[in-house]
Amino acid sequence: MSRELIDLAIERLREDFPNKSKSWVRRALVRFMKNTVKEYGENVWVVRGLPELGDKYPTYVVRFKDGRYYCSCFESSWGLRRKSEVCTHIAAVILYRNYRKLDSDVYASVINIECVDYYLEIPSELKGKVKVVKSVKVVDSSDRLNPRHRVTYVIYANEPMEVRAKLVCDGDVRELSLKLSRTRRYMIELLVR
Ligand SMILES: [Zn+2]
């Protein structure tokens, strides 16, 4: 497992659950690092119990249904209290899924520009198939009303393809042909963070 990917996977977990304690995150991480999560089927995972974390059963089943997670520990004697919470079995599954997603292949192209005004247009028929994320940093704000930005666009999709795009930078219009080539999902996260 890669440290950088684990850090990103934890970052996503923290963003999704900003009110959870450090110990909650730590316990999820222990479960994940001990390789206790196994995918069992679509939206079903089995998490091996860890006695050192207070687990009383050898395994727990986590399901994802109608937009939320359920864990078999909800059905235990503590279930009533736990039902309203997200247990660390679920948190471990989310970490596992975050990691797998970051580790997966995507096809991407990167554009770096520096402009005051900028715009990138992707043909409308590709919307939904091709995604665009950007990161914007101010590099020169001496003209307060018109600061200059460094913009990184990442255009990506689940399959290799060539995408025609229109890039506007301070009135300069360029027609681009972008070849999306294979990379790992986490590279995109690193580029636009
Ligand atoms: Zn649980």
Side-chain angles (χ1 to χ4, degrees):
M1 281 191 275
S2 135
R3 182 74 233 179
E4 205 157 40
L5 260 73
I6 294 168
D7 286 347
L8 280 171
I10 295 170
E11 213 175 286
R12 295 289 161 278
L13 181 69
R14 285 214 175 99
E15 282 166 11
D16 289 346
F17 300 93
N19 299 321
K20 287 293 185 185
S21 66
K22 273 187 181 150
S23 96
W24 182 85
V25 174
R26 191 186 57 79
R27 280 178 287 147
L29 183 59
V30 169
R31 293 186 190 285
F32 175 68
M33 296 298 279
K34 291 205 168 194
N35 226 349
T36 63
V37 181
K38 293 275 175 287
E39 195 159 2
Y40 196 71
E42 203 183 341
N43 295 329
V44 183
W45 300 264
V46 171
V47 182
R48 181 160 46 86
L50 294 174
E52 65 265 40
L53 295 184
D55 290 338
K56 292 184 175 55
Y57 296 95
T59 55
Y60 294 84
V61 179
V62 173
R63 290 169 201 281
F64 185 73
K65 210 181 132 198
D66 303 328
R68 62 164 294 192
Y69 287 95
Y70 299 85
C71 181
S72 59
C73 76
F74 292 173
E75 290 142 27
S76 73
S77 50
W78 294 96
L80 282 179
R81 187 180 68 86
R82 291 178 103 164
K83 207 158 198 150
S84 60
E85 296 178 7
V86 178
C87 64
T88 60
H89 306 116
I90 290 174
V93 167
I94 295 171
L95 257 186
Y96 171 88
R97 296 188 75 190
N98 288 353
Y99 186 95
R100 296 265 302 239
K101 191 175 176 192
L102 289 162
D103 201 27
S104 63
D105 282 344
V106 286
Y107 295 83
S109 179
V110 180
I111 300 171
N112 284 300
I113 46 169
E114 267 192 39
C115 336
V116 174
D117 294 305
Y118 49 88
Y119 184 67
L120 179 75
E121 194 180 281
I122 295 282
S124 56
E125 67 266 24
L126 289 178
K127 291 208 171 108
K129 233 178 150 185
V130 173
K131 291 195 176 99
V132 179
V133 285
K134 68 170 187 276
S135 125
V136 179
K137 289 188 183 84
V138 173
V139 284
D140 180 3
S141 56
S142 47
D143 180 348
R144 277 168 181 271
L145 292 176
N146 299 298
R148 198 166 176 79
H149 307 92
R150 179 174 301 131
V151 186
T152 301
Y153 283 109
V154 182
I155 300 93
Y156 67 99
N158 288 327
E159 49 192 277
M161 60 172 87
E162 212 153 311
V163 176
R164 287 198 302 163
K166 195 164 89 179
L167 179 68
V168 182
C169 176
D170 296 339
D172 172 37
V173 183
R174 274 188 285 165
E175 303 276 349
L176 305 173
S177 180
L178 306 165
K179 203 175 155 97
L180 308 191
S181 51
R182 191 161 71 143
T183 183
R184 305 258 288 298
R185 173 73 204 226
Y186 80 97
M187 293 306 294
I188 295 172
E189 310 271 335
L190 293 176
L191 278 167
V192 295
R193 73 208 319 231

